[in-house]
Amino acid sequence: MVFVVTIGTDEDSIMKLLTSRSNSQRQQIKAAYKTLHGKDLVGDLKGELGGKFETLVVALMTPPILYDVTSLRNAIKGAGTDEKVLIEILSSRTAQQIKDITAAYRQEFNKNLEEDVTGDTSGHFRRLLVILLQASRQQGVQEGNIEADAQTLFSAGEKKFGTDEEQFITILGNRSTEHLRRVFAAYMKLAGYEMEESIQRETSGGLRDLLLAVVKCARSVPAYFAETLYYSMKGAGTDDQTLIRVMVSRSEVDMLDIRADYRRLFAKSLHSAIQGDTSGDYRKALLLLCGGNDA
C-alpha cells in the first residue's frame, strides 16, 4: 500500500497507516514510494508535517537499529552530552543489539562508537559505559558467587566511609541479569536495603543514574521503561524527546508489558497519561502506538 503526499496532507490517513504497520512494512512502503514517485517519502513528509508530530513520524519511518545509532550520535555530537540517551539505550538493549548498534554506527557515521563515547564522557561513568559497550556479560547464574557479590557490594558502599565505585561497576556491568537478580535479593537480606536505595545514597551524578538504570533493567526492562515514560510526563512540561524515543523504540518490543507495569506502578493507565499530557495529531499518533486503555 502506497500513499501520495499532497499539499494539505491528510494527517489522519498517514497516522493510521504508519502506526498500524510494523517497521519492516514501513520500510517497504518507503521503497515502493520511491519507485512510484522517484522521491523520498520521509523528505516529503518532513515538508508537509511539523513540530512533534513530524519528529514522531520520522522516527517511525527509521529502522530500529538506525534509530538507536542516530539517537546516540545526536546525544554525543555538539556541545554537551545528552547522558540520558546514552544511559537509556546502553543499559536496556540486549548484547546482540549493542553489537548491531556498534557495527551500524561505524557504517552510518564512519566513526567508532566506543571512541566517541569515551571522548565525550569521563571517570567512573565512562568506565561503566565502556563495559556495557563490550556486550559481554557472563552467562547464567554463578551460584557460588551470589553471596560473595552481595557482600562485596555491601562492603564497597554501605559498610565503609566513602564508596568503592569500581566494585559496583565491575559486578553490575559484567554479571548476567539472572545472576544480578539473585544478588539483589541476597543484598537486601544482608544490608536491609534495596540495591537502588544504596546506589542513591552512595553515588551521584551520571554514574548514579547509569547504575540505577542497569539495576532496574536487570530487574525488568518493561518496568524501567514504564518509569521512564512516567517521568517524561510528570510535573510541568513534557520531555517529548524521551516520550517519542521510548514509544517508538518499544512499540514492537514490549509495549503491552510496559502498559501493564505502568498501571501497576502508577495506578493509572499509560493511555490516560498520554491523553492528559499531549494534544493534536501528536497525541492521536502516540495513543495509536500505545494501543488500548488499561483504565
Side-chain angles (χ1 to χ4, degrees):
M1 185 192 296
V2 177
F3 55 89
V4 183
V5 179
T6 54
I7 298 301
T9 310
D10 180 355
E11 274 94 351
D12 266 6
S13 302
I14 292 176
M15 200 157 43
K16 285 181 180 132
L17 179 67
L18 295 185
T19 55
S20 64
R21 297 294 185 275
S22 68
N23 193 283
S24 61
Q25 287 171 320
R26 287 181 215 125
Q27 302 317 312
Q28 290 167 5
I29 291 170
K30 192 157 68 173
Y33 186 88
K34 194 159 212 170
T35 305
L36 273 176
H37 304 290
K39 291 197 289 184
D40 176 45
L41 175 57
V42 176
D44 280 2
L45 286 169
K46 275 182 172 175
E48 285 294 316
L49 308 172
K52 293 175 283 197
F53 182 52
E54 179 193 301
T55 306
L56 177 59
V57 168
V58 171
L60 284 170
M61 293 304 300
T62 310
I65 292 292
L66 184 57
Y67 186 55
D68 276 353
V69 301
T70 308
S71 299
L72 288 167
R73 181 77 187 133
N74 290 338
I76 293 166
K77 72 175 191 195
T81 308
D82 190 343
E83 292 182 353
K84 189 188 297 183
V85 177
L86 295 183
I87 290 167
E88 180 194 300
I89 293 175
L90 298 183
S91 60
S92 66
R93 301 308 190 252
T94 64
Q96 189 54 55
Q97 284 171 327
I98 297 286
K99 286 172 183 165
D100 292 344
I101 285 167
T102 303
Y105 191 92
R106 183 182 288 282
Q107 191 180 352
E108 195 64 24
F109 303 113
N110 200 23
K111 285 180 172 292
N112 180 298
L113 177 56
E114 187 181 318
E115 285 174 12
D116 279 0
V117 167
T118 54
D120 226 48
T121 56
S122 61
H124 292 106
F125 178 60
R126 172 168 65 194
R127 286 221 35 221
L128 182 50
L129 287 171
V130 169
I131 289 172
L132 295 176
L133 278 167
Q134 306 317 302
S136 56
R137 284 188 182 278
Q138 295 163 353
Q139 300 295 301
V141 177
Q142 278 84 42
E143 293 288 346
N145 291 342
I146 292 168
E147 297 296 332
D149 282 349
Q151 183 64 60
T152 301
L153 289 168
F154 183 57
S155 301
E158 296 285 357
K159 203 174 173 186
K160 71 186 294 243
F161 183 73
T163 308
D164 183 354
E165 289 95 345
E166 291 292 322
Q167 298 292 358
F168 280 84
I169 289 167
T170 301
I171 292 172
L172 296 177
N174 288 296
R175 305 291 192 263
S176 74
T177 52
E178 310 94 294
H179 181 87
L180 286 175
R181 286 194 289 271
R182 299 278 295 277
V183 171
F184 301 155
Y187 184 89
M188 178 70 185
K189 277 186 193 165
L190 182 69
Y193 303 112
E194 291 289 10
M195 191 74 245
E196 292 90 332
E197 293 176 75
S198 292
I199 289 169
Q200 287 277 19
R201 263 199 301 276
E202 298 294 325
T203 60
S204 61
L207 177 64
R208 176 182 60 197
D209 295 340
L210 181 55
L211 286 168
L212 284 171
V214 167
V215 170
K216 286 170 183 175
C217 287
R219 289 194 193 274
S220 164
V221 170
Y224 167 73
F225 279 115
E227 193 179 311
T228 303
L229 286 167
Y230 175 77
Y231 285 109
S232 76
M233 294 181 277
K234 186 177 186 286
T238 305
D239 178 355
D240 291 293
Q241 276 189 313
T242 298
L243 181 55
I244 290 169
R245 194 174 55 250
V246 175
M247 292 302 292
V248 170
S249 65
R250 307 315 289 185
S251 61
E252 291 178 54
V253 183
D254 48 9
M255 187 54 70
L256 280 173
D257 295 328
I258 291 170
R259 276 168 43 186
D261 280 323
Y262 197 99
R263 186 88 191 74
R264 176 179 62 80
L265 291 167
F266 306 111
K268 69 188 284 191
S269 70
L270 176 58
H271 193 283
S272 66
I274 292 169
Q275 181 98 38
D277 224 58
T278 57
S279 61
D281 291 323
Y282 175 55
R283 169 165 64 190
K284 284 185 204 165
L286 285 171
L287 291 175
L288 285 167
L289 283 177
C290 174
N293 186 359
D294 315 291

